[in-house]
Amino acid sequence: MKASGLRGDKKALQKFHSEKCVQVLTARRKELFEQYHCSPLPSIILPPLSQLPVFVGFTVVLNRLSVAPTLFDAESFLTLTSLAHPDPTMTLPVVLGFLTMANVESGNWVMNAAEKAQQRRAEDEEANRVAEGEKPRLHPGKVIKSVLRGLSIIRIIIAAMTPGSVALYWVTSAGFGLIQTWVMEWNDARRRRRRISALQAAPQQTSTRNQPTGPEARKL
């Protein structure tokens, strides 16, 4: 910015710097995608596409099996007086909502204090930029989380009207998904911290190797 002779007030300079950083980072990201022949889109689309047919298909099967006359009418489980009727106590639907919400927020469980502080600083900086008149940036991760939070409420309403067999399947599936997501988030956080520790230790090792030893050290 100094080399190009850019002039202006603090707000204009910050805006130019922010826009330039976004351009540089976007270009670098595209270069990395082309270099390693990868894209984040398949990892976002393929998991739900591979799981939805099984989830929807099994839900339809259980719903059809719960239509009278059915043997599910004589089966009970926990708060369900019958697997063919909705949960009269609303326990399973509420548990389903909590499990879905916990699945969304599981990434925050594995964050340490430093990572949480860094996230809060980034959020504060974003809020300050918006307060100063800049356009808010679109963060796909936050959008997806907001949608999933709303979905957790919708699932409670739907599960309250579905047969007990379907609600029980949804709760079991959500519980397994929560464990799976937590394990993956924990492994990812551990790899990330190891990588950061290795990068921080590399300069220290380099400086140690460059220090004089033997007669040269005694002269110093």
Side-chain angles (χ1 to χ4, degrees), residues 67-93:
V67 177
T70 174
L71 295 176
F72 282 176
D73 199 16
E75 298 292 337
S76 60
F77 183 80
L78 295 179
T79 59
L80 293 172
T81 57
S82 171
L83 294 181
H85 302 286
D87 187 356
T89 64
M90 286 288 294
T91 301
L92 286 183

PDB file of all heavy atoms in Angstrom, residues 67-93:
ATOM      1  N   VAL A  67     -48.450 -48.858  10.369  1.00  0.00           N
ATOM      2  CA  VAL A  67     -49.860 -48.681  10.001  1.00  0.00           C
ATOM      3  C   VAL A  67     -50.654 -49.900  10.468  1.00  0.00           C
ATOM      4  O   VAL A  67     -50.250 -51.050  10.247  1.00  0.00           O
ATOM      5  CB  VAL A  67     -50.000 -48.492   8.478  1.00  0.00           C
ATOM      6  CG1 VAL A  67     -51.474 -48.383   8.083  1.00  0.00           C
ATOM      7  CG2 VAL A  67     -49.243 -47.245   8.036  1.00  0.00           C
ATOM      8  N   ALA A  68     -51.790 -49.666  11.139  1.00  0.00           N
ATOM      9  CA  ALA A  68     -52.628 -50.760  11.642  1.00  0.00           C
ATOM     10  C   ALA A  68     -53.219 -51.556  10.480  1.00  0.00           C
ATOM     11  O   ALA A  68     -53.541 -50.985   9.424  1.00  0.00           O
ATOM     12  CB  ALA A  68     -53.742 -50.190  12.512  1.00  0.00           C
ATOM     13  N   PRO A  69     -53.351 -52.854  10.656  1.00  0.00           N
ATOM     14  CA  PRO A  69     -52.952 -53.647  11.829  1.00  0.00           C
ATOM     15  C   PRO A  69     -51.457 -53.962  11.787  1.00  0.00           C
ATOM     16  O   PRO A  69     -50.914 -54.311  10.742  1.00  0.00           O
ATOM     17  CB  PRO A  69     -53.781 -54.908  11.686  1.00  0.00           C
ATOM     18  CG  PRO A  69     -53.985 -55.054  10.199  1.00  0.00           C
ATOM     19  CD  PRO A  69     -54.047 -53.667   9.644  1.00  0.00           C
ATOM     20  N   THR A  70     -50.809 -53.830  12.910  1.00  0.00           N
ATOM     21  CA  THR A  70     -49.363 -54.046  12.981  1.00  0.00           C
ATOM     22  C   THR A  70     -48.983 -54.609  14.333  1.00  0.00           C
ATOM     23  O   THR A  70     -49.644 -54.354  15.348  1.00  0.00           O
ATOM     24  CB  THR A  70     -48.610 -52.719  12.751  1.00  0.00           C
ATOM     25  OG1 THR A  70     -47.221 -52.936  12.957  1.00  0.00           O
ATOM     26  CG2 THR A  70     -49.093 -51.644  13.690  1.00  0.00           C
ATOM     27  N   LEU A  71     -47.901 -55.384  14.336  1.00  0.00           N
ATOM     28  CA  LEU A  71     -47.390 -55.932  15.593  1.00  0.00           C
ATOM     29  C   LEU A  71     -46.750 -54.847  16.453  1.00  0.00           C
ATOM     30  O   LEU A  71     -46.586 -55.033  17.657  1.00  0.00           O
ATOM     31  CB  LEU A  71     -46.367 -57.039  15.296  1.00  0.00           C
ATOM     32  CG  LEU A  71     -46.910 -58.297  14.606  1.00  0.00           C
ATOM     33  CD1 LEU A  71     -45.767 -59.243  14.290  1.00  0.00           C
ATOM     34  CD2 LEU A  71     -47.953 -58.984  15.471  1.00  0.00           C
ATOM     35  N   PHE A  72     -46.374 -53.718  15.833  1.00  0.00           N
ATOM     36  CA  PHE A  72     -45.780 -52.632  16.611  1.00  0.00           C
ATOM     37  C   PHE A  72     -46.753 -52.075  17.645  1.00  0.00           C
ATOM     38  O   PHE A  72     -46.333 -51.451  18.621  1.00  0.00           O
ATOM     39  CB  PHE A  72     -45.346 -51.491  15.685  1.00  0.00           C
ATOM     40  CG  PHE A  72     -44.056 -51.774  14.963  1.00  0.00           C
ATOM     41  CD1 PHE A  72     -43.561 -50.883  14.031  1.00  0.00           C
ATOM     42  CD2 PHE A  72     -43.329 -52.930  15.215  1.00  0.00           C
ATOM     43  CE1 PHE A  72     -42.371 -51.129  13.368  1.00  0.00           C
ATOM     44  CE2 PHE A  72     -42.149 -53.188  14.554  1.00  0.00           C
ATOM     45  CZ  PHE A  72     -41.663 -52.285  13.629  1.00  0.00           C
ATOM     46  N   ASP A  73     -48.050 -52.296  17.437  1.00  0.00           N
ATOM     47  CA  ASP A  73     -49.045 -51.757  18.354  1.00  0.00           C
ATOM     48  C   ASP A  73     -48.940 -52.409  19.730  1.00  0.00           C
ATOM     49  O   ASP A  73     -49.349 -51.822  20.742  1.00  0.00           O
ATOM     50  CB  ASP A  73     -50.445 -51.990  17.781  1.00  0.00           C
ATOM     51  CG  ASP A  73     -51.471 -51.071  18.423  1.00  0.00           C
ATOM     52  OD1 ASP A  73     -51.059 -50.084  19.066  1.00  0.00           O
ATOM     53  OD2 ASP A  73     -52.678 -51.340  18.300  1.00  0.00           O
ATOM     54  N   ALA A  74     -48.367 -53.609  19.784  1.00  0.00           N
ATOM     55  CA  ALA A  74     -48.235 -54.321  21.054  1.00  0.00           C
ATOM     56  C   ALA A  74     -46.843 -54.177  21.654  1.00  0.00           C
ATOM     57  O   ALA A  74     -46.559 -54.768  22.699  1.00  0.00           O
ATOM     58  CB  ALA A  74     -48.551 -55.806  20.859  1.00  0.00           C
ATOM     59  N   GLU A  75     -45.967 -53.416  20.999  1.00  0.00           N
ATOM     60  CA  GLU A  75     -44.604 -53.237  21.480  1.00  0.00           C
ATOM     61  C   GLU A  75     -44.451 -51.861  22.123  1.00  0.00           C
ATOM     62  O   GLU A  75     -44.977 -50.868  21.627  1.00  0.00           O
ATOM     63  CB  GLU A  75     -43.604 -53.372  20.325  1.00  0.00           C
ATOM     64  CG  GLU A  75     -43.616 -54.734  19.656  1.00  0.00           C
ATOM     65  CD  GLU A  75     -43.090 -55.834  20.559  1.00  0.00           C
ATOM     66  OE1 GLU A  75     -42.332 -55.506  21.494  1.00  0.00           O
ATOM     67  OE2 GLU A  75     -43.433 -57.006  20.326  1.00  0.00           O
ATOM     68  N   SER A  76     -43.703 -51.797  23.219  1.00  0.00           N
ATOM     69  CA  SER A  76     -43.446 -50.534  23.910  1.00  0.00           C
ATOM     70  C   SER A  76     -41.952 -50.415  24.190  1.00  0.00           C
ATOM     71  O   SER A  76     -41.227 -51.420  24.226  1.00  0.00           O
ATOM     72  CB  SER A  76     -44.235 -50.455  25.219  1.00  0.00           C
ATOM     73  OG  SER A  76     -43.858 -51.512  26.090  1.00  0.00           O
ATOM     74  N   PHE A  77     -41.506 -49.167  24.426  1.00  0.00           N
ATOM     75  CA  PHE A  77     -40.091 -48.936  24.711  1.00  0.00           C
ATOM     76  C   PHE A  77     -39.962 -47.615  25.446  1.00  0.00           C
ATOM     77  O   PHE A  77     -40.377 -46.564  24.941  1.00  0.00           O
ATOM     78  CB  PHE A  77     -39.278 -48.907  23.413  1.00  0.00           C
ATOM     79  CG  PHE A  77     -37.802 -48.745  23.641  1.00  0.00           C
ATOM     80  CD1 PHE A  77     -37.028 -49.829  24.004  1.00  0.00           C
ATOM     81  CD2 PHE A  77     -37.197 -47.509  23.495  1.00  0.00           C
ATOM     82  CE1 PHE A  77     -35.663 -49.690  24.218  1.00  0.00           C
ATOM     83  CE2 PHE A  77     -35.834 -47.354  23.700  1.00  0.00           C
ATOM     84  CZ  PHE A  77     -35.066 -48.450  24.063  1.00  0.00           C
ATOM     85  N   LEU A  78     -39.401 -47.676  26.651  1.00  0.00           N
ATOM     86  CA  LEU A  78     -39.218 -46.486  27.472  1.00  0.00           C
ATOM     87  C   LEU A  78     -40.520 -45.697  27.590  1.00  0.00           C
ATOM     88  O   LEU A  78     -41.498 -46.202  28.107  1.00  0.00           O
ATOM     89  CB  LEU A  78     -38.082 -45.623  26.906  1.00  0.00           C
ATOM     90  CG  LEU A  78     -36.680 -46.265  26.943  1.00  0.00           C
ATOM     91  CD1 LEU A  78     -35.647 -45.328  26.323  1.00  0.00           C
ATOM     92  CD2 LEU A  78     -36.277 -46.636  28.355  1.00  0.00           C
ATOM     93  N   THR A  79     -40.550 -44.460  27.082  1.00  0.00           N
ATOM     94  CA  THR A  79     -41.748 -43.635  27.217  1.00  0.00           C
ATOM     95  C   THR A  79     -42.795 -43.945  26.150  1.00  0.00           C
ATOM     96  O   THR A  79     -43.890 -43.374  26.187  1.00  0.00           O
ATOM     97  CB  THR A  79     -41.381 -42.140  27.118  1.00  0.00           C
ATOM     98  OG1 THR A  79     -40.745 -41.892  25.850  1.00  0.00           O
ATOM     99  CG2 THR A  79     -40.433 -41.752  28.233  1.00  0.00           C
ATOM    100  N   LEU A  80     -42.466 -44.829  25.220  1.00  0.00           N
ATOM    101  CA  LEU A  80     -43.414 -45.183  24.164  1.00  0.00           C
ATOM    102  C   LEU A  80     -44.333 -46.299  24.664  1.00  0.00           C
ATOM    103  O   LEU A  80     -43.878 -47.399  24.986  1.00  0.00           O
ATOM    104  CB  LEU A  80     -42.669 -45.656  22.911  1.00  0.00           C
ATOM    105  CG  LEU A  80     -41.829 -44.609  22.178  1.00  0.00           C
ATOM    106  CD1 LEU A  80     -40.989 -45.263  21.088  1.00  0.00           C
ATOM    107  CD2 LEU A  80     -42.726 -43.534  21.578  1.00  0.00           C
ATOM    108  N   THR A  81     -45.613 -46.013  24.718  1.00  0.00           N
ATOM    109  CA  THR A  81     -46.580 -47.049  25.085  1.00  0.00           C
ATOM    110  C   THR A  81     -46.869 -47.970  23.923  1.00  0.00           C
ATOM    111  O   THR A  81     -47.326 -49.092  24.107  1.00  0.00           O
ATOM    112  CB  THR A  81     -47.890 -46.399  25.547  1.00  0.00           C
ATOM    113  OG1 THR A  81     -48.391 -45.543  24.510  1.00  0.00           O
ATOM    114  CG2 THR A  81     -47.658 -45.568  26.813  1.00  0.00           C
ATOM    115  N   SER A  82     -46.564 -47.483  22.708  1.00  0.00           N
ATOM    116  CA  SER A  82     -46.746 -48.285  21.505  1.00  0.00           C
ATOM    117  C   SER A  82     -45.832 -47.732  20.424  1.00  0.00           C
ATOM    118  O   SER A  82     -45.724 -46.518  20.239  1.00  0.00           O
ATOM    119  CB  SER A  82     -48.209 -48.247  21.037  1.00  0.00           C
ATOM    120  OG  SER A  82     -48.336 -48.845  19.754  1.00  0.00           O
ATOM    121  N   LEU A  83     -45.165 -48.630  19.703  1.00  0.00           N
ATOM    122  CA  LEU A  83     -44.298 -48.205  18.608  1.00  0.00           C
ATOM    123  C   LEU A  83     -45.086 -47.734  17.399  1.00  0.00           C
ATOM    124  O   LEU A  83     -44.508 -47.164  16.472  1.00  0.00           O
ATOM    125  CB  LEU A  83     -43.359 -49.350  18.196  1.00  0.00           C
ATOM    126  CG  LEU A  83     -42.313 -49.778  19.229  1.00  0.00           C
ATOM    127  CD1 LEU A  83     -41.455 -50.904  18.663  1.00  0.00           C
ATOM    128  CD2 LEU A  83     -41.438 -48.600  19.635  1.00  0.00           C
ATOM    129  N   ALA A  84     -46.377 -47.961  17.411  1.00  0.00           N
ATOM    130  CA  ALA A  84     -47.208 -47.553  16.284  1.00  0.00           C
ATOM    131  C   ALA A  84     -47.822 -46.179  16.473  1.00  0.00           C
ATOM    132  O   ALA A  84     -48.458 -45.652  15.549  1.00  0.00           O
ATOM    133  CB  ALA A  84     -48.325 -48.577  16.057  1.00  0.00           C
ATOM    134  N   HIS A  85     -47.639 -45.560  17.657  1.00  0.00           N
ATOM    135  CA  HIS A  85     -48.244 -44.262  17.946  1.00  0.00           C
ATOM    136  C   HIS A  85     -47.165 -43.273  18.394  1.00  0.00           C
ATOM    137  O   HIS A  85     -46.102 -43.672  18.888  1.00  0.00           O
ATOM    138  CB  HIS A  85     -49.314 -44.402  19.031  1.00  0.00           C
ATOM    139  CG  HIS A  85     -50.403 -45.363  18.676  1.00  0.00           C
ATOM    140  ND1 HIS A  85     -51.375 -45.068  17.750  1.00  0.00           N
ATOM    141  CD2 HIS A  85     -50.659 -46.633  19.104  1.00  0.00           C
ATOM    142  CE1 HIS A  85     -52.201 -46.095  17.627  1.00  0.00           C
ATOM    143  NE2 HIS A  85     -51.779 -47.068  18.439  1.00  0.00           N
ATOM    144  N   PRO A  86     -47.420 -41.990  18.241  1.00  0.00           N
ATOM    145  CA  PRO A  86     -46.434 -40.983  18.691  1.00  0.00           C
ATOM    146  C   PRO A  86     -46.200 -41.061  20.189  1.00  0.00           C
ATOM    147  O   PRO A  86     -47.031 -41.577  20.945  1.00  0.00           O
ATOM    148  CB  PRO A  86     -47.095 -39.650  18.294  1.00  0.00           C
ATOM    149  CG  PRO A  86     -48.061 -40.003  17.209  1.00  0.00           C
ATOM    150  CD  PRO A  86     -48.564 -41.384  17.534  1.00  0.00           C
ATOM    151  N   ASP A  87     -45.042 -40.539  20.597  1.00  0.00           N
ATOM    152  CA  ASP A  87     -44.677 -40.525  22.008  1.00  0.00           C
ATOM    153  C   ASP A  87     -45.605 -39.558  22.750  1.00  0.00           C
ATOM    154  O   ASP A  87     -45.579 -38.347  22.514  1.00  0.00           O
ATOM    155  CB  ASP A  87     -43.220 -40.076  22.156  1.00  0.00           C
ATOM    156  CG  ASP A  87     -42.724 -40.205  23.593  1.00  0.00           C
ATOM    157  OD1 ASP A  87     -43.524 -40.559  24.473  1.00  0.00           O
ATOM    158  OD2 ASP A  87     -41.534 -39.949  23.827  1.00  0.00           O
ATOM    159  N   PRO A  88     -46.421 -40.058  23.678  1.00  0.00           N
ATOM    160  CA  PRO A  88     -47.365 -39.161  24.364  1.00  0.00           C
ATOM    161  C   PRO A  88     -46.671 -38.193  25.321  1.00  0.00           C
ATOM    162  O   PRO A  88     -47.229 -37.146  25.656  1.00  0.00           O
ATOM    163  CB  PRO A  88     -48.283 -40.128  25.126  1.00  0.00           C
ATOM    164  CG  PRO A  88     -47.454 -41.356  25.331  1.00  0.00           C
ATOM    165  CD  PRO A  88     -46.563 -41.458  24.129  1.00  0.00           C
ATOM    166  N   THR A  89     -45.481 -38.517  25.765  1.00  0.00           N
ATOM    167  CA  THR A  89     -44.781 -37.652  26.712  1.00  0.00           C
ATOM    168  C   THR A  89     -43.858 -36.646  26.025  1.00  0.00           C
ATOM    169  O   THR A  89     -43.264 -35.796  26.700  1.00  0.00           O
ATOM    170  CB  THR A  89     -43.942 -38.505  27.682  1.00  0.00           C
ATOM    171  OG1 THR A  89     -42.928 -39.190  26.940  1.00  0.00           O
ATOM    172  CG2 THR A  89     -44.817 -39.521  28.399  1.00  0.00           C
ATOM    173  N   MET A  90     -43.675 -36.740  24.707  1.00  0.00           N
ATOM    174  CA  MET A  90     -42.796 -35.851  23.937  1.00  0.00           C
ATOM    175  C   MET A  90     -41.329 -35.990  24.341  1.00  0.00           C
ATOM    176  O   MET A  90     -40.503 -35.157  23.988  1.00  0.00           O
ATOM    177  CB  MET A  90     -43.216 -34.389  24.098  1.00  0.00           C
ATOM    178  CG  MET A  90     -44.476 -34.018  23.343  1.00  0.00           C
ATOM    179  SD  MET A  90     -44.206 -33.943  21.562  1.00  0.00           S
ATOM    180  CE  MET A  90     -43.090 -32.563  21.442  1.00  0.00           C
ATOM    181  N   THR A  91     -40.991 -37.075  25.052  1.00  0.00           N
ATOM    182  CA  THR A  91     -39.607 -37.238  25.506  1.00  0.00           C
ATOM    183  C   THR A  91     -38.660 -37.483  24.344  1.00  0.00           C
ATOM    184  O   THR A  91     -37.625 -36.808  24.204  1.00  0.00           O
ATOM    185  CB  THR A  91     -39.514 -38.398  26.512  1.00  0.00           C
ATOM    186  OG1 THR A  91     -40.369 -38.129  27.625  1.00  0.00           O
ATOM    187  CG2 THR A  91     -38.085 -38.566  27.007  1.00  0.00           C
ATOM    188  N   LEU A  92     -38.988 -38.459  23.497  1.00  0.00           N
ATOM    189  CA  LEU A  92     -38.105 -38.783  22.378  1.00  0.00           C
ATOM    190  C   LEU A  92     -37.954 -37.624  21.394  1.00  0.00           C
ATOM    191  O   LEU A  92     -36.839 -37.355  20.934  1.00  0.00           O
ATOM    192  CB  LEU A  92     -38.611 -40.041  21.662  1.00  0.00           C
ATOM    193  CG  LEU A  92     -38.379 -41.377  22.385  1.00  0.00           C
ATOM    194  CD1 LEU A  92     -38.870 -42.535  21.539  1.00  0.00           C
ATOM    195  CD2 LEU A  92     -36.906 -41.559  22.713  1.00  0.00           C
ATOM    196  N   PRO A  93     -39.032 -36.919  21.025  1.00  0.00           N
ATOM    197  CA  PRO A  93     -38.841 -35.756  20.144  1.00  0.00           C
ATOM    198  C   PRO A  93     -37.922 -34.692  20.732  1.00  0.00           C
ATOM    199  O   PRO A  93     -37.088 -34.123  20.012  1.00  0.00           O
ATOM    200  CB  PRO A  93     -40.269 -35.230  19.957  1.00  0.00           C
ATOM    201  CG  PRO A  93     -41.138 -36.415  20.129  1.00  0.00           C
ATOM    202  CD  PRO A  93     -40.467 -37.223  21.192  1.00  0.00           C
TER     203      PRO A  93
END
